[in-house]
Amino acid sequence: MSIFANFMTSLLPFISKIYQAPVWRMEIDESSQTLFLEIRDHADKQVSFSALSLQNGDVYFEGLTTPERWLTGIEAAYNGVLLLHNYQSANGPVHKGITAIEAVSGKELWSNFTLAFDHISANGPVVYNAQLQPKKLFLIDAKTGGAVRAYEPVIDQPLDNQIISPELIPATAINNLHLPFAVHANAVHYISYNNFRIVSLHTLLQEHLEQHLFVFNEEGTLLYHDLLHNAIQKMQPEAFVLHNNQLIYLKNRSGLIVLNL
């Protein structure tokens, strides 16, 4: 990999952390600029949660667990609060209940196992009582769980999370960039953002696939490279997202990297 030696210091990770199990899901709280992670250890059937500040890189908490070891996960985040859910059963996707965790302290603020989550609006979480039919949506206070009022679609618009996902495009569409490897299946994930060109590609090496991430400037100079996966059997989904001038991606499923662009 000596071809990258002159470029590796052009951009350096702002956050770099390795977890003991795969990161299953990430969620960003816009108001507090907090990144929440759900880490699932399949061997021990244990789910844990972590929270980090995207402003200064501080770790608010990690290794946080709930009484429900496995049938739980991240639902959403809003106003400095992480909302978790349980599952009705191990074999189904239906969510049950809501538990609220304070971002900075990791303390449980409230829980309600009759509520079910619907979506996050600009004014807060929209939920319903799963025991009542027909379903009636209402707005709650994320910090207390208390009902605020009935859901009003006109004013309770979905919250814009400011996350930009890459496009899947033919590699030939960006032939102005010198990609150091042959692109498998002629497909790359790509974002053009300000003065940066961000590319994720798969390449075939000794009958196995590797997934790489590259960041170029607008002149085509390579600024950053990372090997995301090696010796994999199939192409992986999109490898990165952009959020408020930050490139966020996972390395080998359990490593979190954030770059400031």
Side-chain angles (χ1 to χ4, degrees), residues 132-209:
L132 300 179
Q133 293 293 335
K135 181 169 73 175
K136 293 185 178 180
L137 301 179
F138 59 97
L139 195 71
I140 63 169
D141 185 311
K143 294 184 181 295
T144 68
V148 176
R149 56 172 168 77
Y151 167 64
E152 300 182 32
V154 174
I155 62 175
D156 297 326
Q157 295 288 319
L159 181 66
D160 183 0
N161 59 21
Q162 303 296 315
I163 293 174
I164 303 173
S165 297
E167 293 181 90
L168 183 64
I169 64 172
T172 50
I174 53 167
N175 55 17
N176 59 318
L177 297 177
H178 174 64
L179 300 175
F181 301 114
V183 178
H184 181 69
N186 190 38
V188 300
H189 283 103
Y190 176 76
I191 289 180
S192 174
Y193 179 77
N194 290 343
N195 298 324
F196 299 96
R197 308 291 180 262
I198 306 163
V199 182
S200 170
L201 63 83
H202 291 80
T203 191
L204 193 62
L205 181 68
Q206 297 178 349
E207 299 183 356
H208 290 94
L209 290 169

Side-chain angles (χ1 to χ4, degrees), residues 50-91:
S50 179
L52 307 93
S53 170
L54 288 173
Q55 294 178 311
N56 55 31
D58 287 351
V59 176
Y60 292 144
F61 61 79
E62 60 182 312
L64 184 146
T65 59
T66 68
E68 172 50 64
R69 289 176 53 89
W70 186 241
L71 299 180
T72 186
I74 289 178
E75 191 72 87
Y78 183 83
N79 196 23
V81 177
L82 172 65
L83 301 177
L84 306 178
H85 65 83
N86 287 354
Y87 288 97
Q88 282 192 6
S89 71
N91 301 317

Side-chain angles (χ1 to χ4, degrees), residues 2-100:
S2 60
I3 59 173
F4 302 115
N6 295 327
F7 304 105
M8 290 301 291
T9 57
S10 297
L11 287 173
L12 293 174
F14 171 60
I15 296 173
S16 179
K17 282 190 64 65
I18 298 176
Y19 294 92
Q20 298 303 308
V23 176
W24 191 259
R25 176 170 175 171
M26 296 188 290
E27 190 78 23
I28 296 173
D29 172 35
E30 291 292 330
S31 61
S32 65
Q33 291 299 292
T34 303
L35 175 64
F36 295 101
L37 299 100
E38 175 185 325
I39 298 108
R40 302 192 77 89
D41 186 337
H42 284 260
D44 290 339
K45 294 293 182 181
Q46 176 70 72
V47 181
S48 64
F49 304 95
S50 179
L52 307 93
S53 170
L54 288 173
Q55 294 178 311
N56 55 31
D58 287 351
V59 176
Y60 292 144
F61 61 79
E62 60 182 312
L64 184 146
T65 59
T66 68
E68 172 50 64
R69 289 176 53 89
W70 186 241
L71 299 180
T72 186
I74 289 178
E75 191 72 87
Y78 183 83
N79 196 23
V81 177
L82 172 65
L83 301 177
L84 306 178
H85 65 83
N86 287 354
Y87 288 97
Q88 282 192 6
S89 71
N91 301 317
V94 179
H95 295 181
K96 178 182 74 173
I98 302 173
T99 298

